[in-house]
Amino acid sequence: MLWIKAFHIIFMVTWFAGLFYLPRLFVYHALTEDAAGRERFKLMERKLYYGIMAPGAVLTIVFGTGLWLGYGISGAWLHAKLALVAVLIVYHLWCGKLLNDFKHDRNTHSHVWYRWFNEFPVVVLIAAVILAVVKPF
């Protein structure tokens, strides 16, 4: 079970790296005015989303499910953490929608909006780690 826990943490870190970095790329992409720069950001964003974030998300959920089934974990803290995971999945998919908007040159948000959007996963990470480690309820 420790291997499953290790891989759950590894892929969670991978997923969060993408959740932190992709919106930061959106900030710079929204500021870019030249065609070559926009195309470069489109490529970077696509590779990050499909090559790192999506596999990280799927494997985090797979190994997290393995932990849940293997340990038979229960409690209100777990329900709260699973709710946060559901919120992160929605955020992840929203990032995919924004990626698609950039891909088709349909971005309607400013770089300032993306700066605020980029802060959300930080709050979720803090809450999820506290729930998993402290198990406050």
Side-chain angles (χ1 to χ4, degrees):
M1 290 306 296
L2 291 178
W3 283 101
I4 294 173
K5 186 184 288 188
F7 282 114
H8 177 64
I9 293 168
I10 290 165
F11 290 113
M12 181 272 303
V13 170
T14 302
W15 187 19
F16 267 97
L19 290 172
F20 292 154
Y21 190 48
L22 184 63
R24 179 54 49 183
L25 287 176
F26 291 160
V27 169
Y28 300 130
H29 193 162
L31 288 167
T32 302
E33 296 179 5
D34 63 293
R38 285 191 298 271
E39 292 306 312
R40 187 177 316 113
F41 278 113
K42 288 176 187 180
L43 177 66
M44 292 169 63
E45 292 158 357
R46 181 178 50 81
K47 286 184 174 187
L48 177 61
Y49 189 82
Y50 292 105
I52 295 172
M53 286 174 65
V58 168
L59 292 169
T60 297
I61 294 165
V62 166
F63 285 107
T65 302
L67 285 172
W68 179 39
L69 296 174
Y71 283 118
I73 304 168
S74 63
W77 70 271
L78 180 62
H79 295 286
K81 185 178 172 216
L82 291 175
L84 289 176
V85 172
V87 167
L88 276 179
I89 292 168
V90 170
Y91 183 85
H92 178 104
L93 295 172
W94 191 4
C95 284
K97 186 235 181 268
L98 295 170
L99 175 100
N100 195 47
D101 288 345
F102 273 114
K103 176 183 176 183
H104 296 291
D105 298 316
R106 294 187 309 236
N107 174 49
T108 59
H109 301 292
S110 71
H111 68 94
V112 175
W113 187 88
Y114 286 111
R115 288 178 196 277
W116 284 104
F117 181 76
N118 191 39
E119 299 304 320
F120 181 75
V122 175
V123 176
V124 175
L125 176 64
I126 291 167
V129 169
I130 289 170
L131 286 168
V133 173
V134 178
K135 296 176 181 60
F137 44 86

